[in-house]
């Protein structure tokens, strides 16, 4: 019989979300997630299966909370997912496509701009035009 979890899953996923948002998916290691959460590697694997499993939980959680207003974290996670995973990961692609289909059209129209601004900001380039 498995032992009950001795951690708050929601809190752990928020800590993991912060790491993914800062470093992206590929540049985040399990050791980074272990350091951020204070959990042991085995506890993370037992709870979520893999780094990919953690990312999917984090992504779904952010998207479930986002239908009418794009949070910075949700846009960042979608940008990371689209750039690093979706081209070769059907599950990630399906999660994003399903979420996008559920966004009201007036908000869905804002998504490309939000993603573009997010990518520029992640690259250290101001999304706002300069007057220089």
């Amino acid at each position: 019989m498995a032992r009950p979890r001795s951690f708050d899953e929601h809190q752990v996923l928020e800590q993991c979300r912060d790491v993914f948002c800062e470093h992206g998916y590929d540049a985040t290691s399990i050791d980074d997630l272990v350091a951020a959460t204070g959990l042991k590697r085995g506890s993370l694997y037992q709870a979520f299966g893999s780094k990919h499993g953690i990312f999917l939980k984090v992504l779904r959680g952010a998207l479930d909370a986002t239908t009418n207003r794009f949070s910075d974290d949700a846009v960042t996670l979608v940008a990371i997912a689209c750039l690093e995973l979706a081209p070769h990961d059907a599950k990630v692609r399906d999660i994003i496509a399903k979420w996008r289909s559920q966004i009201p059209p007036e908000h869905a129209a804002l998504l490309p701009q939000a993603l573009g601004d997010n990518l520029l900001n992640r690259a250290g380039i101001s999304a706002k035009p300069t007057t220089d």
Side-chain angles (χ1 to χ4, degrees):
M1 182 174 177
R3 287 188 294 171
R5 290 185 186 160
S6 60
F7 59 87
D8 179 341
E9 182 176 313
H10 180 74
Q11 181 182 9
V12 167
L13 290 173
E14 285 183 348
Q15 293 164 326
C16 292
R17 177 202 62 212
D18 292 346
V19 176
F20 284 126
C21 284
E22 182 175 344
H23 301 291
Y25 179 80
D26 290 335
T28 296
S29 69
I30 282 291
D31 289 338
D32 294 329
L33 299 174
V34 165
T37 62
L39 295 176
K40 294 184 179 183
R41 176 184 294 256
S43 295
L44 284 174
Y45 281 126
Q46 185 174 8
F48 305 107
S50 63
K51 178 177 105 173
H52 187 257
I54 296 169
F55 185 80
L56 292 179
K57 282 279 254 196
V58 166
L59 179 62
R60 283 187 182 114
L63 298 182
D64 285 348
T66 303
T67 54
N68 291 326
R69 183 183 172 280
F70 304 126
S71 71
D72 289 343
D73 289 339
V75 172
T76 297
L77 290 167
V78 169
I80 290 166
C82 287
L83 288 171
E84 299 183 35
L85 294 166
H88 55 83
D89 188 326
K91 188 176 280 189
V92 169
R93 203 169 37 247
D94 290 346
I95 290 168
I96 294 170
K98 181 179 176 186
W99 167 73
R100 187 172 176 265
S101 72
Q102 296 171 341
I103 299 172
E106 64 273 16
H107 296 289
L110 302 174
L111 183 58
Q113 182 69 48
L115 286 170
D117 289 351
N118 182 280
L119 291 174
L120 288 170
N121 287 331
R122 288 183 65 78
I125 301 167
S126 175
K128 295 179 181 177
T130 61
T131 56
D132 295 341

